[in-house]
Amino acid sequence: MNKGIAVYPGSFDPPTNGHLDLIQRGSKIFEELVVAILRNSEKSPMFSVAERLEMLRALTADLKNVRIDTFNGLMVEYAKSIDAVCILRGIRAISDYEYELQMALMNRKLEPTLETVFMMPADKYSYVSSRLVREVAQAGGPVKGLVPDVVEQKLREKLDPAYKFHHANFVEAPEVDQNKKTSDKKRKKKA
Ligand code: PNS
């Protein structure tokens, strides 16, 4: 374990198993790892910052030296404000390298005392990205194994609001007397 705080910044829209893998690896190396969600992204996100915060908090509840936070503006300014000595980023494939190199060098120009450390997630997640997960889920494809179960559930609820209603109504509903059982159709109508 190294002394010091590292910041792992990103959009996490949504968090994937690749992100989680990197968080677990990072938490073993740094004294404290702060996963920082960018608040003022230009992109229109699928999940609100509050939703991403909640998902990441739930996913990292068992990692005692991991904290989830949000930030605005320059990442290096945020990193300095929490006394981070390091920026953690993941590199999945060579295609990530150019963008990551550019960002790391820009961050170094902005704040020479902050080092960027790259780690590789497990190779089984090397093709997993939040963008592709969103794309597959939006087209109705399966994302099991690519994102944690809690994220898969949130994706379902987000893309098919009827799922939440259906799930709450039929799975969590108390058992009813089979003779008095309301038909699915009637129950849907009532609600
Ligand atoms: O998960 P992402 O979307 O690849 O993360 C990109 C992120 C949030 C790390 C990057 O866009 C960022 O740090 N934005 C904050 C603004 C900033 O500091 N820009 C200069 C760094 S090149």
Side-chain angles (χ1 to χ4, degrees), residues 9-12 19 36 38 40 43 71 73-76 89 99-100 102-104 106-107 110:
S11 306
F12 306 104
H19 291 132
L38 176 64
N40 59 343
K43 311 168 207 165
F71 75 103
L74 276 184
M75 203 270 298
V76 292
R89 289 286 291 174
Y99 169 61
E100 292 298 335
Q102 208 178 8
M103 200 153 64
M106 179 59 84
N107 283 331
L110 294 168

Side-chain angles (χ1 to χ4, degrees), residues 48-61:
S48 69
V49 171
E51 286 171 315
R52 284 176 270 161
L53 198 65
E54 187 190 323
M55 285 187 272
L56 281 165
R57 284 203 173 129
L59 293 169
T60 56

Side-chain angles (χ1 to χ4, degrees), residues 165-176:
F165 161 77
H166 185 92
H167 201 71
N169 214 14
F170 298 116
V171 176
E172 287 165 22
E175 285 215 1
V176 288

